[in-house]
Amino acid sequence: MSSRPVIFWFKRDLRVADNPALARVAEVSGGHVLPLFIFEPEYWRLPDTSARQFAFLTETLADLRADLAAQGQPLVLRTGDAVDVLDALVRETGARALFSSEETGNLWTYARDRRVAAWARGRGLAWTELPQAGVKRRLKSRDGWAAARDRFVRQPTVAAPALAPLSGIATGAMPDAASMGLPADPCPDRQPGGRQAALALLGGFLTERGRDYRRQMSTPVEGEWACSRLSPHLALGALSGREAAQATAARQREVRGTREGWAGSLSSFQSRLAWRDHFMQKLEDEPRIETDCLHPAYEGLRPRTPDATRLSAWERAETGIPFVDACMRYLHHTGWLNFRMRSMLVAVASYHLWLDWRATGPHLARLFTDYEPGIHWSQMQMQSGTTGMNTVRIYNPVKQGLDQDPTGVFTRRWVPELAAVPDAHLQSPWTWEGAGSVLDRAYPAPVVDVAEAARHARDAVWGVRRGDAFRATAARIVEKHASRKDGGDRAPRRRRGPGRAKASPDQLSLDL
């Protein structure tokens, strides 16, 4: 090889446009970049990974490979442990440095990066990680964070760099899910991956689908169309958050002063892009959010060994609570669900079924094609009431069904066993006089008494919040993690009575 290349290790930011780290590497190396992606079998054996995520990834990598080839050098694919792969490539190519983007992943990726850093130091190889988003590594204080994030988003996007072709190195083959040890994972209506799909979604959302986004995002019936559906593409970085925010800003300028009804929806979408970075910053600042209750007073509140019958019923969408089961079945089938319904699934599991968030979180992570650890684990805790700084929100799944599926079309589609149940009793079939002909025959009876379970949970969760020691710890959590903008996380207030506390807006903020 005529020139010693620099390795650019793609992990999540799988694009060539607006990729500041890739542009920087191309600049310092004169374009002699070896673009690398590593399929790590150990990662795909984790409890929060799935074949549907893997399939979306490979489609995204196919687009990335083509885009890199158009810039001069195709993507190099390797399979194995990251340290082993990198060491072999350095020996083979004489690579003089390693670059990558900063990644806010799960604890496994954090530990893997520490191993890679130790290997690079031992080899005397410089490894440079560069920021790609509004998330800041080694942040000392949240003061000024939002303004810094907004400044980053407003900076000009970065053009795709030209790369020099490398000779004598095999580009490698794309493995399949079975070779990673992933079990079959049918997801018939999964979104397709790839940057072209992401750009098409963004354009369609900003010019057509997003007009009623603010009004329709909460319902699974309309949210499927009205939400941007960009979340899996943002998770893998086929599209950057900055690209999405700047395209939205351009559209905001176009509709300003018109009566087309876009202004509120576009403003809401911008807010949700900002909240996305906000939640990822939490995990960046405190990786233990994946494993430990943010407020330690909640450790031991729910059994760490879950009730197997209740957990299985929730996972299989056989809780006997129609709207809950409909949402879970829809998620199984599509890999996506609007945010309010995600929150409801977690809340019902946590409060009504009294399951620990660490037992239910991996199942949802596997089902979400758009699994983003920073958002997922922060939200698992928030919707389970274990942060100590967010208002406890116990969703009434019967009321949610009536509010979000008033005609019953969504519930009847995904729970056809209830065809004989009249509309007035669809969301609570146990109240129908003919319930005996359906429940525990075509469809299970509810695994818990919905109202009684909510009362028990409310008393238990709020009971933990009493006392000065709880509030002192909560204040420290707020200082470290709360947004400094109005409408962000707030310290817990004294309870005035059941159901009277107003939920923090950020609990309903991530419908991308």
Side-chain angles (χ1 to χ4, degrees), residues 449-461:
D449 180 305
V450 173
E452 179 57 34
R455 282 193 291 271
H456 169 270
R458 186 176 294 110
D459 290 343
V461 173

Side-chain angles (χ1 to χ4, degrees), residues 1 3-7 29 32-34 89 93-97 166:
M1 190 169 293
S3 178
R4 296 169 60 202
V6 170
I7 296 174
S29 68
H32 291 88
V33 179
L34 192 162
L89 276 175
T93 66
R96 52 195 170 95
L166 304 177

Side-chain angles (χ1 to χ4, degrees), residues 489-510:
D489 300 305
R490 295 182 177 90
R493 293 174 290 184
R494 291 183 183 272
R495 186 183 177 199
R496 297 183 177 181
R500 294 184 182 179
K502 184 179 179 182
S504 180
D506 60 340
Q507 290 185 313
L508 302 174
S509 65
L510 295 175

